[in-house]
């Protein structure tokens, strides 16, 4: 399986364009996040293992399939919440474990403030980390660190919407076994002298949490 998959689906390209648009209102933004998540998960889960599962139709017995392992979604708060809605629309049977992280504004280092994700075992589960933005990847790496070291997860996939090359390189280096699925791979992170503070994705979409929940950094 390829480790970085940037969707080439035309519907994804159209929806990402709308998502980036600064004129897109929060209600529409949330809807786009959910729809994009469903499209990306379709591909990110294409290789999950199934086991034979017989079923009796009203007419006859038939051979079907069931999942070999449970699916667990781990949305990173806040911005992963909209992705969780889309993920559950696609696969309502999944367990959802929330992980609250924010980036320290000065250092960009991730700070954990809520963890209902790690602790109970995730051994054998198909774990999907959901976060729309892969910028420095500090948040994604911290999430995968916890899920592996505290819960024993071995099958972890990262599904995001927009990534920076710096974040893809950092996550791949820290966790080479974690496939990364994105709707778009952007140019770079902002640095001193750019219109936005350092560490934002260019061209990106701005602050994914603020845009979903109508808050402002100001
Ligand atoms: C955003 C985003 C990611 C993180 C990505 O969260 O949702 O979690 O930044 O950046 P990184 O790859 O450099 O770690 P933020 O810290 O803004 O918190 P919020 O979702 O609560 O607004
Ligand atoms: N977090 C966001 O919400 N946007 C970025 O561009 C980077 C991190």
């Amino acid at each position: 399986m390829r480790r970085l998959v940037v969707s080439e689906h035309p519907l994804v390209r159209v929806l990402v364009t709308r998502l980036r648009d600064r004129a897109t209102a929060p209600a529409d933004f949330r809807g786009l996040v959910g729809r994009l998540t469903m499209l990306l998960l379709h591909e990110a889960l294409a290789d999950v293992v199934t086991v034979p599962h017989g079923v009796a139709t009203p007419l006859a017995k038939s051979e079907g399939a069931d999942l070999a392992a449970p699916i667990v979604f781990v949305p990173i708060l806040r911005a992963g919440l909209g992705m969780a809605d889309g993920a559950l629309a696609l696969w309502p049977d999944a367990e959802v474990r929330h992980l609250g992280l924010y980036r320290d504004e000065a250092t960009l280092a991730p700070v954990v403030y809520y963890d209902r994700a790690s602790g109970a075992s995730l051994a054998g589960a198909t774990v999907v980390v959901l976060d729309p933005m892969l910028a420095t990847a500090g948040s994604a790496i911290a999430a995968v660190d916890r899920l592996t070291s505290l819960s024993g997860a071995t099958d972890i996939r990262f599904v995001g919407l927009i990534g920076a090359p710096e974040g893809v390189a950092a996550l791949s280096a820290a966790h080479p076994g974690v496939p990364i699925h994105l709707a778009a791979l952007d140019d770079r992170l902002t640095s001193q002298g750019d219109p936005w503070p350092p560490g934002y994705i260019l061209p990106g979409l701005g602050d994914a949490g603020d845009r979903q929940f109508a808050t402002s950094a100001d």
Side-chain angles (χ1 to χ4, degrees), residues 76-81 99-105 108-111 113 130-142 158 162 164 167 189 199-201 206-213 215:
I76 299 184
L77 309 180
R78 286 178 300 163
L81 283 173
L99 182 59
L101 291 176
Y102 69 87
R103 298 198 304 180
D104 179 277
E105 281 183 15
L108 301 183
V111 179
Y113 62 87
L130 302 168
D131 192 333
M133 309 306 277
L134 185 66
T136 66
S139 305
I141 292 169
F158 178 88
I162 299 184
L189 293 178
Y200 280 87
I201 299 174
D207 188 298
D210 286 345
R211 295 203 59 189
Q212 278 181 73
F213 302 115
T215 50

Side-chain angles (χ1 to χ4, degrees), residues 188-204:
R188 65 176 173 87
L189 293 178
T190 54
S191 54
Q192 295 293 345
D194 281 320
W196 274 52
Y200 280 87
I201 299 174
L202 254 177

